[in-house]
Amino acid sequence: MSEIVRPRRSALYVPGANSRALEKSTGLAADMIILDLEDAVAPAEKEASRTRVCAAIESRAFGPREVLVRVNARGTSWHWDDLRAVAATPAHGVLVPKVDSPHEAARLADALDELDAPQSLRLWVMIETPRAVLAAAEIAASSDRIEGLVIGTNDLVNDLGALHVPGRMPVLSSLSHTILAARASGKAVLDGVYNAVRDTEGFVAEAAQGRALGFNGKTLVHPAQIGPANAAFGPSEVDVQRAHEVIDAFSQAEAAGEGVTVVDGQMIEHLHVVHARRVLALQAQIEALTTAA
């Protein structure tokens, strides 16, 4: 698995039809901004929103944040015009909903090539149906242009006939399967949204669960969720201190000809050092992003 150190703790959906929200989002502390042309935009507003979103990207007002555009799904009358428009901007990525098969994912990558989109425009796909979950590994591996997967828990719960419950037991297997699929191909993977925007306690619990499962970050529906997401998916001061201790202790052990050591009563071997270095690399990127913003 490749080392993924770019901060993707928080990915805020911003409605493309809302000029005020677009302007406000340029100053928010989210690692990623997902400019939404799909669910958040009424049919009558699709074309105007596309123009508005592309202009916002061209303005480069988002600074160092990673900017994605969620386009309308394949099969809609707006999909190809969305792709064509985004391919001509300096966006970092295009997020495509309802990708159910590796063939669809590969076709999307080919379409971006045909549109002469630069390789810097990465493809992100949403895993939000039972079929997509079952094919997630093949989808993730279908193109080198694919940067990551985003799980769409709202649609998935609906398609399963399941319920939104604390702890997300009905979709835990789907969450883990999607993470495995992403990691097998060295791709990033983002957790789904938490709908109850005023339930901070519930959001914090779900974000902690997502971090424990292995997601890089969480997609968000409200700016109030940015801070808790950044805290959940970013290294704490304790994590950073521990990482330094692990690296220092293992270096001393290696110098003494040992392949393992002990830190605070826990055995430390090379895999723990790899994790510690990943923690420090992520923290360095977060600090660089914060400074640049």
Side-chain angles (χ1 to χ4, degrees), residues 3-22:
E3 293 300 312
I4 302 171
V5 297
R6 182 162 191 163
R8 286 163 172 156
R9 302 165 296 170
S10 50
L12 178 68
Y13 285 110
V14 179
N18 190 326
S19 297
R20 184 171 178 273
L22 283 171

Side-chain angles (χ1 to χ4, degrees), residues 12 30 44 50 70 81 107 122 142 151 178 191 215 228 240 245 251 258 267 270 287:
L12 178 68
R50 182 193 305 132
R70 180 163 72 169
D81 287 337
R107 179 67 189 94
R122 309 300 293 166
S142 64
I151 193 157
T178 302
D191 197 359
F215 285 107
V240 172
E245 291 173 352
S251 295
E258 302 290 339
M267 187 183 74
H270 184 259
E287 291 173 357

Side-chain angles (χ1 to χ4, degrees), residues 51-65:
T51 300
R52 185 179 299 112
V53 161
C54 290
I57 298 169
E58 292 289 355
S59 75
R60 301 182 186 272
F62 296 97
R65 295 166 191 81

